[in-house]
Short mmCIF file of all heavy atoms in Angstrom, two decimals:
data_model
loop_
_atom_site.label_atom_id
_atom_site.label_comp_id
_atom_site.label_asym_id
_atom_site.label_seq_id
_atom_site.Cartn_x
_atom_site.Cartn_y
_atom_site.Cartn_z
N LYS A 45 -80.90 124.61 58.84
CA LYS A 45 -80.21 125.89 58.66
C LYS A 45 -78.78 125.69 58.18
O LYS A 45 -78.34 126.32 57.22
CB LYS A 45 -80.21 126.67 59.98
CG LYS A 45 -79.22 127.80 60.07
CD LYS A 45 -79.24 128.40 61.47
CE LYS A 45 -78.06 129.26 61.79
NZ LYS A 45 -76.78 128.55 61.99
N ASN A 46 -78.04 124.82 58.86
CA ASN A 46 -76.62 124.72 58.54
C ASN A 46 -76.35 124.01 57.21
O ASN A 46 -75.24 124.09 56.69
CB ASN A 46 -75.85 124.07 59.70
CG ASN A 46 -75.77 125.01 60.89
OD1 ASN A 46 -75.97 126.22 60.75
ND2 ASN A 46 -75.47 124.47 62.06
N ALA A 47 -77.36 123.32 56.68
CA ALA A 47 -77.24 122.79 55.32
C ALA A 47 -77.60 123.89 54.33
O ALA A 47 -76.93 124.08 53.32
CB ALA A 47 -78.17 121.59 55.14
N VAL A 49 -77.31 127.12 54.50
CA VAL A 49 -76.30 128.18 54.30
C VAL A 49 -75.04 127.65 53.60
O VAL A 49 -74.15 128.42 53.27
CB VAL A 49 -75.93 128.88 55.63
CG1 VAL A 49 -77.10 129.66 56.17
CG2 VAL A 49 -75.39 127.89 56.66
N ALA A 50 -74.97 126.35 53.38
CA ALA A 50 -73.89 125.78 52.55
C ALA A 50 -74.38 125.52 51.13
O ALA A 50 -73.64 125.64 50.16
CB ALA A 50 -73.38 124.48 53.18
N ASP A 72 -80.98 133.97 58.47
CA ASP A 72 -79.68 133.67 57.87
C ASP A 72 -79.79 133.40 56.37
O ASP A 72 -78.91 133.77 55.59
CB ASP A 72 -79.01 132.47 58.58
CG ASP A 72 -78.17 132.91 59.78
OD1 ASP A 72 -78.28 134.10 60.17
OD2 ASP A 72 -77.42 132.08 60.32
N LEU A 115 -73.32 136.88 59.32
CA LEU A 115 -73.46 135.46 59.57
C LEU A 115 -72.15 134.71 59.41
O LEU A 115 -71.27 135.13 58.66
CB LEU A 115 -74.58 134.83 58.73
CG LEU A 115 -74.36 134.41 57.29
CD1 LEU A 115 -75.52 133.56 56.83
CD2 LEU A 115 -74.28 135.62 56.41
N ARG A 116 -72.06 133.63 60.15
CA ARG A 116 -70.85 132.83 60.19
C ARG A 116 -70.60 132.15 58.83
O ARG A 116 -69.48 132.09 58.36
CB ARG A 116 -71.05 131.77 61.30
CG ARG A 116 -69.92 130.82 61.48
CD ARG A 116 -68.77 131.44 62.20
NE ARG A 116 -67.66 130.53 62.36
CZ ARG A 116 -66.41 130.92 62.52
NH1 ARG A 116 -66.12 132.20 62.56
NH2 ARG A 116 -65.45 130.05 62.66
N ALA A 117 -71.67 131.64 58.26
CA ALA A 117 -71.51 130.80 57.07
C ALA A 117 -71.09 131.57 55.82
O ALA A 117 -70.91 130.99 54.75
CB ALA A 117 -72.81 130.05 56.79
N SER A 118 -70.87 132.89 55.97
CA SER A 118 -70.39 133.64 54.81
C SER A 118 -68.96 133.21 54.45
O SER A 118 -68.49 133.51 53.36
CB SER A 118 -70.44 135.14 55.08
OG SER A 118 -69.85 135.43 56.31
N TYR A 119 -68.30 132.45 55.35
CA TYR A 119 -66.94 131.96 55.00
C TYR A 119 -66.98 131.01 53.80
O TYR A 119 -65.98 130.80 53.14
CB TYR A 119 -66.19 131.34 56.18
CG TYR A 119 -66.92 130.34 57.05
CD1 TYR A 119 -67.86 129.45 56.54
CD2 TYR A 119 -66.65 130.26 58.42
CE1 TYR A 119 -68.51 128.54 57.34
CE2 TYR A 119 -67.29 129.35 59.24
CZ TYR A 119 -68.23 128.49 58.70
OH TYR A 119 -68.86 127.60 59.49
N TYR A 120 -68.15 130.43 53.49
CA TYR A 120 -68.22 129.53 52.33
C TYR A 120 -68.04 130.29 51.01
O TYR A 120 -67.73 129.69 49.99
CB TYR A 120 -69.56 128.77 52.30
CG TYR A 120 -69.74 127.83 53.47
CD1 TYR A 120 -70.97 127.69 54.11
CD2 TYR A 120 -68.67 127.07 53.96
CE1 TYR A 120 -71.13 126.84 55.19
CE2 TYR A 120 -68.84 126.21 55.04
CZ TYR A 120 -70.08 126.11 55.65
OH TYR A 120 -70.24 125.26 56.71
N ILE A 142 -70.19 132.96 70.68
CA ILE A 142 -70.21 131.79 71.57
C ILE A 142 -68.78 131.33 71.88
O ILE A 142 -68.55 130.20 72.25
CB ILE A 142 -71.03 130.63 70.96
CG1 ILE A 142 -70.59 130.34 69.51
CG2 ILE A 142 -72.51 130.91 71.04
CD1 ILE A 142 -71.31 129.19 68.85
N GLY A 143 -67.82 132.24 71.70
CA GLY A 143 -66.43 131.89 71.95
C GLY A 143 -65.58 132.27 70.76
O GLY A 143 -66.09 132.76 69.75
N VAL A 144 -64.28 132.06 70.88
CA VAL A 144 -63.37 132.38 69.77
C VAL A 144 -63.73 131.48 68.60
O VAL A 144 -63.94 130.29 68.77
CB VAL A 144 -61.91 132.11 70.20
CG1 VAL A 144 -60.95 132.55 69.12
CG2 VAL A 144 -61.60 132.81 71.50
N ARG A 145 -63.84 132.06 67.41
CA ARG A 145 -64.23 131.25 66.25
C ARG A 145 -63.19 131.40 65.15
O ARG A 145 -63.41 132.09 64.15
CB ARG A 145 -65.64 131.63 65.78
CG ARG A 145 -66.66 131.51 66.91
CD ARG A 145 -68.08 131.70 66.44
NE ARG A 145 -68.60 130.52 65.75
CZ ARG A 145 -69.86 130.38 65.38
NH1 ARG A 145 -70.73 131.32 65.61
NH2 ARG A 145 -70.25 129.29 64.76
N PRO A 146 -62.04 130.73 65.32
CA PRO A 146 -60.97 130.87 64.32
C PRO A 146 -61.34 130.19 63.00
O PRO A 146 -62.21 129.33 62.96
CB PRO A 146 -59.79 130.14 64.98
CG PRO A 146 -60.41 129.18 65.94
CD PRO A 146 -61.71 129.76 66.37
N ILE A 147 -60.62 130.59 61.93
CA ILE A 147 -60.81 129.90 60.63
C ILE A 147 -59.46 129.41 60.10
O ILE A 147 -59.27 129.27 58.91
CB ILE A 147 -61.53 130.80 59.60
CG1 ILE A 147 -60.79 132.14 59.41
CG2 ILE A 147 -62.97 131.06 59.95
CD1 ILE A 147 -61.19 132.83 58.12
N ASP A 148 -58.53 129.16 61.04
CA ASP A 148 -57.19 128.74 60.63
C ASP A 148 -57.21 127.44 59.83
O ASP A 148 -56.38 127.24 58.93
CB ASP A 148 -56.28 128.59 61.87
CG ASP A 148 -56.86 127.62 62.88
OD1 ASP A 148 -58.00 127.84 63.32
OD2 ASP A 148 -56.18 126.62 63.20
N GLN A 149 -58.16 126.54 60.12
CA GLN A 149 -58.19 125.26 59.40
C GLN A 149 -58.68 125.45 57.95
O GLN A 149 -58.24 124.74 57.05
CB GLN A 149 -59.07 124.24 60.12
CG GLN A 149 -58.56 123.90 61.52
CD GLN A 149 -57.13 123.39 61.52
OE1 GLN A 149 -56.79 122.42 60.83
NE2 GLN A 149 -56.27 124.06 62.27
N HIS A 150 -59.58 126.42 57.76
CA HIS A 150 -60.02 126.74 56.39
C HIS A 150 -58.78 127.24 55.61
O HIS A 150 -58.52 126.81 54.49
CB HIS A 150 -61.06 127.86 56.36
CG HIS A 150 -62.30 127.61 57.19
ND1 HIS A 150 -63.56 127.72 56.66
CD2 HIS A 150 -62.48 127.30 58.50
CE1 HIS A 150 -64.46 127.47 57.59
NE2 HIS A 150 -63.82 127.22 58.73
N ILE A 151 -58.06 128.17 56.26
CA ILE A 151 -56.92 128.81 55.58
C ILE A 151 -55.82 127.78 55.29
O ILE A 151 -55.29 127.73 54.19
CB ILE A 151 -56.41 129.98 56.44
CG1 ILE A 151 -57.47 131.08 56.42
CG2 ILE A 151 -55.05 130.50 55.96
CD1 ILE A 151 -57.19 132.26 57.31
N ASP A 183 -56.71 119.75 62.03
CA ASP A 183 -56.25 119.58 63.43
C ASP A 183 -57.42 119.47 64.39
O ASP A 183 -57.29 118.88 65.47
CB ASP A 183 -55.37 120.77 63.84
CG ASP A 183 -54.16 120.90 62.95
OD1 ASP A 183 -53.70 119.85 62.45
OD2 ASP A 183 -53.69 122.03 62.72
N VAL A 184 -58.54 120.10 64.03
CA VAL A 184 -59.76 119.94 64.83
C VAL A 184 -60.88 119.54 63.86
O VAL A 184 -60.82 119.87 62.68
CB VAL A 184 -60.18 121.26 65.54
CG1 VAL A 184 -59.29 121.62 66.68
CG2 VAL A 184 -60.27 122.42 64.55
N VAL A 185 -61.85 118.82 64.41
CA VAL A 185 -62.97 118.41 63.55
C VAL A 185 -63.83 119.66 63.33
O VAL A 185 -64.48 120.13 64.25
CB VAL A 185 -63.79 117.29 64.21
CG1 VAL A 185 -64.96 116.91 63.31
CG2 VAL A 185 -62.92 116.10 64.49
N SER A 186 -63.78 120.20 62.13
CA SER A 186 -64.49 121.45 61.85
C SER A 186 -65.48 121.24 60.71
O SER A 186 -65.10 120.85 59.60
CB SER A 186 -63.48 122.53 61.49
OG SER A 186 -64.11 123.58 60.79
N VAL A 187 -66.74 121.53 61.01
CA VAL A 187 -67.79 121.43 59.98
C VAL A 187 -67.50 122.45 58.87
O VAL A 187 -67.49 122.13 57.68
CB VAL A 187 -69.18 121.74 60.60
CG1 VAL A 187 -70.25 121.79 59.51
CG2 VAL A 187 -69.53 120.74 61.68
N GLY A 188 -67.23 123.69 59.30
CA GLY A 188 -67.02 124.77 58.33
C GLY A 188 -65.83 124.49 57.43
O GLY A 188 -65.92 124.65 56.20
N ALA A 189 -64.71 124.06 58.01
CA ALA A 189 -63.51 123.82 57.19
C ALA A 189 -63.74 122.64 56.25
O ALA A 189 -63.34 122.67 55.08
CB ALA A 189 -62.30 123.57 58.10
N THR A 190 -64.42 121.60 56.72
CA THR A 190 -64.69 120.43 55.87
C THR A 190 -65.52 120.85 54.65
O THR A 190 -65.19 120.52 53.51
CB THR A 190 -65.45 119.33 56.68
OG1 THR A 190 -64.67 118.97 57.81
CG2 THR A 190 -65.73 118.11 55.83
N ILE A 191 -66.58 121.62 54.90
CA ILE A 191 -67.46 122.02 53.79
C ILE A 191 -66.73 122.98 52.85
O ILE A 191 -66.81 122.85 51.63
CB ILE A 191 -68.77 122.65 54.35
CG1 ILE A 191 -69.61 121.55 54.99
CG2 ILE A 191 -69.54 123.40 53.26
CD1 ILE A 191 -70.95 121.99 55.54
N ALA A 210 -65.30 116.47 59.35
CA ALA A 210 -66.54 116.44 60.14
C ALA A 210 -67.51 115.45 59.48
O ALA A 210 -67.52 115.30 58.26
CB ALA A 210 -67.15 117.83 60.19
N GLU A 212 -70.95 115.39 60.19
CA GLU A 212 -72.34 115.84 60.38
C GLU A 212 -73.19 115.49 59.14
O GLU A 212 -72.70 115.59 58.01
CB GLU A 212 -72.35 117.37 60.58
CG GLU A 212 -72.31 117.84 62.02
CD GLU A 212 -71.00 117.56 62.74
OE1 GLU A 212 -70.06 117.02 62.12
OE2 GLU A 212 -70.92 117.87 63.94
N HIS A 214 -75.19 117.21 57.57
CA HIS A 214 -75.27 118.25 56.52
C HIS A 214 -74.01 118.28 55.67
O HIS A 214 -74.03 118.80 54.55
CB HIS A 214 -75.63 119.64 57.06
CG HIS A 214 -74.98 120.08 58.31
ND1 HIS A 214 -75.28 119.55 59.54
CD2 HIS A 214 -74.04 121.01 58.54
CE1 HIS A 214 -74.56 120.16 60.46
NE2 HIS A 214 -73.78 121.03 59.88
N ILE A 257 -81.71 120.52 64.98
CA ILE A 257 -81.69 121.35 66.20
C ILE A 257 -83.07 121.94 66.46
O ILE A 257 -83.51 122.02 67.61
CB ILE A 257 -80.61 122.44 66.12
CG1 ILE A 257 -79.23 121.81 65.80
CG2 ILE A 257 -80.53 123.23 67.42
CD1 ILE A 257 -78.74 120.78 66.82
N LEU A 320 -70.18 117.05 71.76
CA LEU A 320 -69.10 116.49 70.91
C LEU A 320 -69.51 116.65 69.45
O LEU A 320 -70.69 116.80 69.15
CB LEU A 320 -68.94 114.98 71.21
CG LEU A 320 -68.32 114.59 72.55
CD1 LEU A 320 -68.52 113.11 72.80
CD2 LEU A 320 -66.83 114.95 72.58
N PRO A 321 -68.53 116.57 68.52
CA PRO A 321 -68.92 116.55 67.10
C PRO A 321 -69.82 115.34 66.83
O PRO A 321 -69.80 114.36 67.59
CB PRO A 321 -67.59 116.40 66.36
CG PRO A 321 -66.55 116.86 67.33
CD PRO A 321 -67.06 116.53 68.70
N TYR A 322 -70.59 115.38 65.75
CA TYR A 322 -71.48 114.29 65.38
C TYR A 322 -70.71 112.98 65.29
O TYR A 322 -69.60 112.98 64.76
CB TYR A 322 -72.13 114.58 64.03
CG TYR A 322 -73.22 113.62 63.64
CD1 TYR A 322 -74.50 113.75 64.14
CD2 TYR A 322 -72.94 112.55 62.78
CE1 TYR A 322 -75.50 112.85 63.79
CE2 TYR A 322 -73.94 111.65 62.43
CZ TYR A 322 -75.21 111.81 62.94
OH TYR A 322 -76.20 110.91 62.60
N PRO A 326 -75.11 117.22 70.21
CA PRO A 326 -74.78 118.46 69.46
C PRO A 326 -74.66 119.68 70.37
O PRO A 326 -75.54 119.92 71.20
CB PRO A 326 -75.97 118.63 68.51
CG PRO A 326 -77.07 117.79 69.06
CD PRO A 326 -76.46 116.71 69.90
N THR A 327 -73.59 120.44 70.17
CA THR A 327 -73.40 121.67 70.94
C THR A 327 -74.59 122.62 70.76
O THR A 327 -74.96 123.34 71.69
CB THR A 327 -72.08 122.38 70.54
OG1 THR A 327 -72.08 123.68 71.10
CG2 THR A 327 -71.88 122.48 69.05
N ASP A 328 -75.21 122.61 69.58
CA ASP A 328 -76.30 123.55 69.33
C ASP A 328 -77.56 123.22 70.15
O ASP A 328 -78.47 124.04 70.26
CB ASP A 328 -76.66 123.59 67.83
CG ASP A 328 -75.54 124.24 67.01
OD1 ASP A 328 -74.57 124.74 67.60
OD2 ASP A 328 -75.65 124.24 65.77
N THR A 349 -67.64 121.02 75.01
CA THR A 349 -66.26 120.83 74.52
C THR A 349 -66.02 121.55 73.20
O THR A 349 -64.88 121.61 72.74
CB THR A 349 -65.92 119.33 74.32
OG1 THR A 349 -66.60 118.87 73.15
CG2 THR A 349 -66.29 118.48 75.51
N VAL A 350 -67.08 122.07 72.56
CA VAL A 350 -66.89 122.67 71.23
C VAL A 350 -66.67 124.19 71.30
O VAL A 350 -65.72 124.71 70.72
CB VAL A 350 -68.07 122.32 70.29
CG1 VAL A 350 -67.85 122.90 68.90
CG2 VAL A 350 -68.27 120.81 70.21
N TRP A 351 -67.55 124.91 72.02
CA TRP A 351 -67.46 126.38 72.09
C TRP A 351 -67.29 126.80 73.55
O TRP A 351 -68.22 126.65 74.35
CB TRP A 351 -68.71 127.04 71.52
CG TRP A 351 -69.01 126.69 70.09
CD1 TRP A 351 -70.07 125.96 69.64
CD2 TRP A 351 -68.25 127.07 68.95
NE1 TRP A 351 -70.00 125.85 68.28
CE2 TRP A 351 -68.89 126.53 67.82
CE3 TRP A 351 -67.08 127.81 68.75
CZ2 TRP A 351 -68.41 126.70 66.53
CZ3 TRP A 351 -66.61 127.97 67.45
CH2 TRP A 351 -67.28 127.43 66.37
N GLU A 352 -66.14 127.37 73.86
CA GLU A 352 -65.88 127.68 75.28
C GLU A 352 -66.75 128.79 75.84
O GLU A 352 -66.97 128.88 77.03
CB GLU A 352 -64.38 127.98 75.51
CG GLU A 352 -63.92 129.38 75.19
CD GLU A 352 -63.64 129.60 73.71
OE1 GLU A 352 -63.87 128.69 72.88
OE2 GLU A 352 -63.19 130.69 73.38
N ARG A 354 -70.00 129.24 75.32
CA ARG A 354 -71.42 128.98 75.06
C ARG A 354 -72.25 128.81 76.34
O ARG A 354 -73.08 127.91 76.45
CB ARG A 354 -71.54 127.73 74.20
CG ARG A 354 -72.83 127.74 73.45
CD ARG A 354 -72.87 126.78 72.31
NE ARG A 354 -73.76 127.33 71.29
CZ ARG A 354 -74.00 126.78 70.14
NH1 ARG A 354 -73.40 125.67 69.80
NH2 ARG A 354 -74.82 127.34 69.29
N ARG A 373 -65.45 124.71 81.63
CA ARG A 373 -66.32 124.39 80.49
C ARG A 373 -67.56 123.60 80.92
O ARG A 373 -68.23 122.99 80.08
CB ARG A 373 -65.53 123.59 79.47
CG ARG A 373 -64.55 124.49 78.71
CD ARG A 373 -63.98 123.76 77.54
NE ARG A 373 -63.46 124.71 76.58
CZ ARG A 373 -63.56 124.57 75.26
NH1 ARG A 373 -64.16 123.54 74.75
NH2 ARG A 373 -63.04 125.47 74.46
N LEU A 393 -78.33 132.81 69.19
CA LEU A 393 -79.45 132.01 68.66
C LEU A 393 -79.95 130.94 69.64
O LEU A 393 -81.13 130.89 69.99
CB LEU A 393 -78.98 131.38 67.33
CG LEU A 393 -79.79 130.27 66.69
CD1 LEU A 393 -81.22 130.68 66.44
CD2 LEU A 393 -79.14 129.85 65.37
N ARG A 394 -79.05 130.06 70.07
CA ARG A 394 -79.53 128.94 70.90
C ARG A 394 -79.75 129.36 72.35
O ARG A 394 -80.46 128.67 73.08
CB ARG A 394 -78.58 127.76 70.82
CG ARG A 394 -78.25 127.30 69.40
CD ARG A 394 -79.46 126.85 68.59
NE ARG A 394 -79.07 126.64 67.19
CZ ARG A 394 -79.91 126.36 66.21
NH1 ARG A 394 -81.20 126.25 66.42
NH2 ARG A 394 -79.47 126.18 64.98
N ARG A 420 -82.79 134.16 63.36
CA ARG A 420 -81.72 133.74 62.45
C ARG A 420 -81.86 132.26 62.09
O ARG A 420 -81.45 131.85 61.00
CB ARG A 420 -80.35 133.98 63.10
CG ARG A 420 -79.97 135.44 63.19
CD ARG A 420 -78.51 135.60 63.55
NE ARG A 420 -77.76 134.53 62.93
CZ ARG A 420 -76.81 133.82 63.54
NH1 ARG A 420 -76.47 134.09 64.76
NH2 ARG A 420 -76.19 132.87 62.90
C1 UD1 B 30 -70.89 124.97 62.60
C2 UD1 B 30 -72.32 125.39 62.81
C3 UD1 B 30 -72.59 125.68 64.28
C4 UD1 B 30 -72.15 124.53 65.16
C5 UD1 B 30 -70.73 124.08 64.82
C6 UD1 B 30 -70.33 122.81 65.55
C7 UD1 B 30 -72.75 126.49 60.70
C8 UD1 B 30 -73.00 127.75 59.98
N1 UD1 B 30 -72.56 126.59 62.01
O1 UD1 B 30 -70.08 126.09 62.95
O2 UD1 B 30 -74.00 125.89 64.44
O3 UD1 B 30 -72.20 124.90 66.51
O4 UD1 B 30 -70.60 123.83 63.41
O5 UD1 B 30 -71.20 121.78 65.26
O6 UD1 B 30 -72.75 125.41 60.12
N2 UD1 B 30 -62.13 125.54 64.81
C9 UD1 B 30 -60.79 125.90 64.76
N3 UD1 B 30 -60.29 126.34 63.57
C10 UD1 B 30 -61.05 126.43 62.44
C11 UD1 B 30 -62.41 126.06 62.51
C12 UD1 B 30 -62.92 125.62 63.70
O7 UD1 B 30 -60.08 125.82 65.77
O8 UD1 B 30 -60.53 126.84 61.39
C13 UD1 B 30 -62.70 125.05 66.08
C14 UD1 B 30 -63.77 125.99 66.62
O9 UD1 B 30 -63.20 127.01 67.42
C15 UD1 B 30 -64.64 125.03 67.43
C16 UD1 B 30 -64.52 123.71 66.65
O10 UD1 B 30 -63.37 123.83 65.83
O11 UD1 B 30 -64.08 124.86 68.71
C17 UD1 B 30 -65.71 123.38 65.78
O12 UD1 B 30 -65.95 124.46 64.89
P1 UD1 B 30 -66.66 124.25 63.48
O13 UD1 B 30 -67.16 122.84 63.37
O14 UD1 B 30 -65.78 124.78 62.43
O15 UD1 B 30 -67.91 125.22 63.62
P2 UD1 B 30 -68.56 126.12 62.50
O16 UD1 B 30 -68.44 125.45 61.18
O17 UD1 B 30 -68.12 127.52 62.61
#
Side-chain angles (χ1 to χ4, degrees):
K45 163 185 164 289
N46 289 342
V49 293
D72 272 11
L115 82 168
R116 179 76 181 155
S118 49
Y119 47 35
Y120 296 140
I142 50 178
V144 185
R145 304 188 76 172
I147 55 162
D148 57 303
Q149 298 304 304
H150 303 233
I151 291 175
D183 300 330
V184 288
V185 179
S186 160
V187 174
T190 302
I191 290 182
E212 267 68 3
H214 42 289
I257 306 301
L320 288 168
Y322 188 81
T327 168
D328 291 355
T349 74
V350 182
W351 302 112
E352 82 278 4
R354 204 164 210 178
R373 286 191 160 218
L393 167 57
R394 308 300 171 186
R420 288 192 35 224

